[in-house]
Short mmCIF file of all heavy atoms in Angstrom, two decimals:
data_model
loop_
_atom_site.label_atom_id
_atom_site.label_comp_id
_atom_site.label_asym_id
_atom_site.label_seq_id
_atom_site.Cartn_x
_atom_site.Cartn_y
_atom_site.Cartn_z
N LEU V 87 -8.18 10.43 6.12
CA LEU V 87 -7.85 10.59 4.67
C LEU V 87 -7.87 12.04 4.23
O LEU V 87 -7.11 12.46 3.37
CB LEU V 87 -8.79 9.73 3.85
CG LEU V 87 -8.67 8.19 4.03
CD1 LEU V 87 -9.74 7.47 3.25
CD2 LEU V 87 -7.26 7.73 3.65
N LEU V 90 -4.65 14.07 4.46
CA LEU V 90 -3.53 13.78 3.55
C LEU V 90 -3.39 14.75 2.42
O LEU V 90 -2.29 14.89 1.87
CB LEU V 90 -3.72 12.36 2.96
CG LEU V 90 -3.46 11.17 3.86
CD1 LEU V 90 -3.91 9.88 3.16
CD2 LEU V 90 -1.99 11.04 4.27
N PHE V 91 -4.45 15.38 2.04
CA PHE V 91 -4.49 16.20 0.79
C PHE V 91 -5.00 17.59 1.02
O PHE V 91 -5.81 17.82 1.95
CB PHE V 91 -5.39 15.51 -0.26
CG PHE V 91 -5.07 14.06 -0.51
CD1 PHE V 91 -5.86 13.06 0.05
CD2 PHE V 91 -4.00 13.70 -1.33
CE1 PHE V 91 -5.57 11.73 -0.23
CE2 PHE V 91 -3.73 12.38 -1.57
CZ PHE V 91 -4.53 11.39 -1.02
N PHE V 99 -9.30 12.33 -4.92
CA PHE V 99 -8.94 11.02 -4.35
C PHE V 99 -10.22 10.20 -4.08
O PHE V 99 -10.32 9.04 -4.48
CB PHE V 99 -8.16 11.24 -3.08
CG PHE V 99 -7.90 9.95 -2.28
CD1 PHE V 99 -6.99 9.01 -2.68
CD2 PHE V 99 -8.66 9.70 -1.12
CE1 PHE V 99 -6.75 7.86 -1.96
CE2 PHE V 99 -8.41 8.53 -0.42
CZ PHE V 99 -7.50 7.63 -0.82
N SER V 263 -4.38 -1.77 6.01
CA SER V 263 -5.78 -1.39 6.06
C SER V 263 -6.49 -1.42 4.74
O SER V 263 -7.70 -1.46 4.64
CB SER V 263 -5.91 0.04 6.69
OG SER V 263 -5.26 0.95 5.79
N THR V 265 -6.46 1.02 2.49
CA THR V 265 -7.00 2.37 2.08
C THR V 265 -6.54 2.78 0.72
O THR V 265 -7.02 3.78 0.17
CB THR V 265 -6.56 3.43 3.14
OG1 THR V 265 -5.14 3.34 3.39
CG2 THR V 265 -7.31 3.24 4.48
N GLY V 266 -5.61 2.05 0.12
CA GLY V 266 -5.21 2.34 -1.28
C GLY V 266 -6.05 1.58 -2.26
O GLY V 266 -5.97 1.85 -3.47
N THR V 314 3.10 -1.19 1.20
CA THR V 314 1.74 -1.42 1.61
C THR V 314 0.76 -0.93 0.50
O THR V 314 1.19 -0.05 -0.30
CB THR V 314 1.38 -0.70 2.92
OG1 THR V 314 1.29 0.71 2.65
CG2 THR V 314 2.35 -0.95 4.04
N CYS V 315 -0.42 -1.45 0.53
CA CYS V 315 -1.47 -0.86 -0.37
C CYS V 315 -2.35 0.07 0.49
O CYS V 315 -3.58 0.10 0.36
CB CYS V 315 -2.30 -1.96 -1.02
SG CYS V 315 -3.07 -3.11 0.14
N SER V 316 -1.69 0.86 1.28
CA SER V 316 -2.35 1.86 2.17
C SER V 316 -1.76 3.25 1.86
O SER V 316 -0.60 3.34 1.44
CB SER V 316 -2.15 1.52 3.62
OG SER V 316 -2.59 2.59 4.43
N VAL V 317 -2.53 4.25 2.08
CA VAL V 317 -2.07 5.65 1.88
C VAL V 317 -1.87 6.38 3.23
O VAL V 317 -1.46 7.55 3.24
CB VAL V 317 -3.00 6.44 0.96
CG1 VAL V 317 -3.04 5.84 -0.44
CG2 VAL V 317 -4.42 6.54 1.56
N THR V 318 -2.16 5.73 4.35
CA THR V 318 -2.08 6.44 5.64
C THR V 318 -0.62 6.56 6.09
O THR V 318 0.17 5.66 5.85
CB THR V 318 -2.92 5.75 6.71
OG1 THR V 318 -2.33 4.51 7.01
CG2 THR V 318 -4.38 5.57 6.29
N VAL V 319 -0.31 7.64 6.78
CA VAL V 319 1.01 7.87 7.29
C VAL V 319 1.33 6.91 8.40
O VAL V 319 2.51 6.44 8.53
CB VAL V 319 1.13 9.36 7.81
CG1 VAL V 319 2.49 9.54 8.53
CG2 VAL V 319 1.02 10.29 6.62
N GLU V 321 0.77 3.79 8.69
CA GLU V 321 1.24 2.50 8.21
C GLU V 321 2.48 2.57 7.29
O GLU V 321 3.01 1.54 6.93
CB GLU V 321 0.10 1.82 7.44
CG GLU V 321 -1.13 1.54 8.27
CD GLU V 321 -2.27 0.99 7.41
OE1 GLU V 321 -2.33 -0.24 7.26
OE2 GLU V 321 -3.06 1.79 6.92
N ASN V 322 2.84 3.78 6.97
CA ASN V 322 3.89 3.99 6.02
C ASN V 322 5.10 4.70 6.62
O ASN V 322 6.00 4.07 7.20
CB ASN V 322 3.38 4.66 4.76
CG ASN V 322 2.34 3.81 4.04
OD1 ASN V 322 2.46 2.59 3.97
ND2 ASN V 322 1.32 4.43 3.50
N PHE V 350 6.33 11.71 3.05
CA PHE V 350 6.27 12.93 3.90
C PHE V 350 7.49 12.99 4.81
O PHE V 350 7.82 11.99 5.45
CB PHE V 350 5.03 12.89 4.77
CG PHE V 350 3.71 13.10 4.07
CD1 PHE V 350 2.88 12.02 3.85
CD2 PHE V 350 3.34 14.33 3.57
CE1 PHE V 350 1.67 12.17 3.18
CE2 PHE V 350 2.15 14.54 2.91
CZ PHE V 350 1.29 13.44 2.71
N ARG V 367 5.15 7.43 -2.80
CA ARG V 367 3.72 7.29 -2.60
C ARG V 367 3.04 7.30 -3.97
O ARG V 367 3.45 8.06 -4.84
CB ARG V 367 3.16 8.43 -1.75
CG ARG V 367 3.53 8.38 -0.29
CD ARG V 367 2.95 9.57 0.45
NE ARG V 367 2.72 9.14 1.81
CZ ARG V 367 1.58 8.66 2.28
NH1 ARG V 367 0.51 8.60 1.50
NH2 ARG V 367 1.45 8.25 3.52
N PHE V 368 1.99 6.45 -4.12
CA PHE V 368 1.24 6.40 -5.36
C PHE V 368 -0.25 6.50 -5.02
O PHE V 368 -0.73 5.94 -4.02
CB PHE V 368 1.53 5.08 -6.11
CG PHE V 368 2.99 4.94 -6.43
CD1 PHE V 368 3.86 4.34 -5.50
CD2 PHE V 368 3.50 5.38 -7.64
CE1 PHE V 368 5.23 4.21 -5.80
CE2 PHE V 368 4.83 5.26 -7.94
CZ PHE V 368 5.69 4.70 -7.02
N TYR V 369 -0.98 7.29 -5.86
CA TYR V 369 -2.39 7.52 -5.56
C TYR V 369 -3.25 7.22 -6.79
O TYR V 369 -2.80 7.46 -7.93
CB TYR V 369 -2.57 9.02 -5.18
CG TYR V 369 -1.87 9.48 -3.94
CD1 TYR V 369 -0.84 10.44 -4.04
CD2 TYR V 369 -2.23 9.01 -2.69
CE1 TYR V 369 -0.19 10.83 -2.92
CE2 TYR V 369 -1.58 9.43 -1.54
CZ TYR V 369 -0.58 10.35 -1.65
OH TYR V 369 0.08 10.77 -0.52
N PRO V 370 -4.48 6.74 -6.54
CA PRO V 370 -5.38 6.41 -7.69
C PRO V 370 -5.68 7.61 -8.54
O PRO V 370 -5.77 7.45 -9.79
CB PRO V 370 -6.60 5.87 -6.99
CG PRO V 370 -6.53 6.19 -5.55
CD PRO V 370 -5.08 6.36 -5.23
N GLY V 377 -3.65 2.93 -4.64
CA GLY V 377 -2.83 3.66 -3.66
C GLY V 377 -1.77 2.70 -3.09
O GLY V 377 -2.08 1.58 -2.70
N PHE V 378 -0.51 3.19 -3.06
CA PHE V 378 0.59 2.30 -2.69
C PHE V 378 1.72 3.10 -2.09
O PHE V 378 1.85 4.30 -2.32
CB PHE V 378 1.11 1.56 -3.92
CG PHE V 378 1.40 0.10 -3.68
CD1 PHE V 378 0.41 -0.83 -3.60
CD2 PHE V 378 2.72 -0.34 -3.54
CE1 PHE V 378 0.68 -2.20 -3.37
CE2 PHE V 378 3.02 -1.64 -3.30
CZ PHE V 378 1.99 -2.58 -3.22
#
Side-chain angles (χ1 to χ4, degrees):
L87 295 174
L90 287 170
F91 307 102
F99 171 76
S263 63
T265 50
T314 71
C315 57
S316 171
V317 296
T318 67
V319 172
E321 298 175 88
N322 296 323
F350 290 106
R367 288 180 150 265
F368 301 88
Y369 297 115
F378 221 78

